[in-house]
Amino acid sequence: MSDAAAKRPDSVVGAFVRHAGDSPEEPCLRFEGEDWSYGRLREHAERFAAALAARGLSPGDRVALFLGNSPDFLAAYLGTHLARGVVVPVNTAYRRGELGHIIDDAGARLCLTDRERAGELEKVRDDLSQLKEIVQVGEELDDFLGAAGSYEPSLPGGDDVAVIAYTSGTTGRSKGAVLLHRNLAANVASVCEAWRWTADDHLLLTLPLFHTHGLTVGVHGTLFTGASVELHRKFEAPKVYDALLGGPFTMFFGVPTMYTRLIREARSRDERPRPLRLYVSGSAALSPQAFSGFEDLFGERILERYGMTETGMNLTNPYDGERRPGTVGGPFPRQEARVVGIEGREPLGAGEVGEIEVRGPHVFAGYWNRPDATRESFDGEGWFATGDLGSVSEDGYYTISGRAKELIISGGYNVYPREVEEVLEGCPGVAEVAVVGLADEDYGEKVVAAVVRDDPNLSAERVADFCRENLAGYKKPREVVFVEQLPRNALGKVLKHEVRERLEREG
Ligand code: MCA
Ligand code: AMP
């Protein structure tokens, strides 16, 4: 592909190709001590593109990535886009049902995975009629890449689908949010502008790449600006603290649990990292205590922002102005936000609590094969209802105060109580179950189940294990409390707030 074709990117991969053409020797990625220049990563990505094309991948075909953080993840991601395919990232903690549903619903033709995860995939393979091939990075990768002939990759257009990102729902199975290249490019351009991200930045990234925070903020910002990133397989507080002490980083992004763990780590150490240009927190609410604890120990005010899979980043505290704890700031450049009444959907004034809506070029194109769900989420004027409750102050700072949707956020991962309840209803010995989120020092919120059992021998361990066998580990109840009955209203609906109050009292 000519580098000229990549000059005005309306895609992140276009920006990446342009940087790789202009400055192939510049550092892009550091992973487990190995350095990847822009040129080297582009070459690896182009080999993926060629291999995918040789396997018959057509524009618009879906490729699932069920892969841990690694250079291969990035090359497969960029390579799929260079072959004009659509990436479906899959949470590596997912088990059979969750995994099978996503690959099947997206109609993925090929899935790239690694040795650690291949076994889980094999368990559901027979049910996945559209899945033609599973490729394991590592040993099988050379065969996969080696089989490709010559191939001239081309850049996708802005209106092409880039990613189908699955997000859980209050009812039923998770839905695929369809993100176009131009949605992702518009959002990352706004993020980079707001946070003053430049080619001189070096990010320390320990978030998983299968979610918005790690992928479309951490990775996209790096590739869009021509900056560099040190990627870790996962977050481990002592390792991150050591890296911050020694490394030449300018930025770190994390979920609140990472910050509370870094605070704990700092309390056990004498040495403090030198200041970074920017620490960002998101995906769940950062408590004012964590904000001030971090400032006391690290001497820095964390910038909190607010995002969603369907939209990428929506609201941010200012880079230069006041970073106000307990708030998520205002809209990014070229994006809009407002608060509306839950019933009437009328715009509300400052201080009034309602549902937050957002609008702009970053907002996704709709849910994959779910026109009903898409229609329900948008009004006729392009406003997308986030399902989050909040208010905006006179001077434009938004506060997230609750959720219209029933959602638990544990360590930055979303858990929908209904999904856990549906699984536990199938656990032998469970008669009825209600799942709620309770406050947790480490994870922010924790999953707790109130269970009515019809087998007196059923143990709390068995309930948690049953969940663990069928769902990602972070969704399993941290506590199981056996109760005589669940409180219900006149219509028979379980009164969740009463369950929560009782568990809080007894906890
Ligand atoms: C792991 N475990 C958890 C969690 N993570 N349990 C509850 N909540 C969690 N978040 C369980 C595992 O299943 C395992 O149990 C046991 O804990 C140990 O696993 P390990 O991986 O060592 O866990 P950890 O060190 O406690 O992980 C904590 C973590 C991780 C580093 C905070 O959860 C994490 O990376 N979270 C980031 C999530 C993220 O990227 N969210 C962004 C979503 P078992 O052995 O039973 O399996 S994007 C988003 O929300 C929007 C768009 C936004 O605004 O960003
Ligand atoms: P996801 O669907 O995984 O993209 O998660 C998006 C949800 O995470 C949002 O709808 C919010 O409920 C929550 N969220 C993200 N950032 C924040 C934040 N800074 N404060 C509170 N909640 C947040």
Side-chain angles (χ1 to χ4, degrees), residues 448-466:
V448 181
V451 173
V452 180
R453 57 186 162 182
D454 51 22
D455 172 359
N457 295 319
L458 180 70
S459 66
E461 291 70 38
R462 179 64 202 127
V463 173
D465 286 351
F466 184 84

Side-chain angles (χ1 to χ4, degrees), residues 92-151:
T92 53
Y94 281 176
R95 318 287 288 184
R96 325 161 203 233
E98 302 152 304
L99 179 60
H101 164 68
I102 290 175
I103 293 181
D104 190 47
D105 187 73
R109 196 194 148 98
L110 194 137
C111 179
L112 286 158
T113 188
D114 45 36
R115 192 206 286 258
E116 262 175 279
R117 279 129 200 134
E120 202 56 39
L121 199 50
E122 283 305 334
K123 290 182 194 161
V124 288
R125 183 175 195 163
D126 290 347
D127 304 330
L128 303 171
S129 55
Q130 297 179 78
L131 186 68
K132 301 273 177 286
E133 199 174 355
I134 296 173
V135 176
Q136 257 190 64
V137 302
E139 283 147 33
E140 284 180 18
L141 189 61
D142 283 344
D143 293 343
F144 174 68
L145 297 179
S150 69
Y151 176 71

Side-chain angles (χ1 to χ4, degrees), residues 247-263:
F249 302 106
T250 62
M251 300 194 287
F252 175 82
F253 300 164
V255 298
T257 298
M258 296 178 179
Y259 285 103
T260 48
R261 290 189 188 177
L262 283 175
I263 290 170

Side-chain angles (χ1 to χ4, degrees), residues 166-168 211-212 256 281-286 304-311 313 315 327-328 386-388 400 402-403 405 407 409 412-414 416:
Y166 277 78
T167 165
S168 303
H211 270 322
T212 299
S281 175
S283 309
L286 180 75
E304 183 172 3
R305 62 37 171 202
Y306 157 79
M308 268 188 92
T309 301
E310 289 90 334
T311 59
M313 299 300 100
L315 301 167
T327 79
V328 290
T386 61
D388 289 307
I400 313 287
R403 299 181 196 109
K405 53 197 178 192
L407 167 68
I409 306 184
Y413 283 129
N414 291 2
Y416 279 91

Side-chain angles (χ1 to χ4, degrees), residues 208 212 234 261 283 305 307 410-413 443 468 473 476 478:
T212 299
K234 59 180 286 205
R261 290 189 188 177
S283 309
R305 62 37 171 202
S410 172
Y413 283 129
Y443 289 121
R468 183 74 190 85
K476 74 169 188 262
R478 297 260 142 194

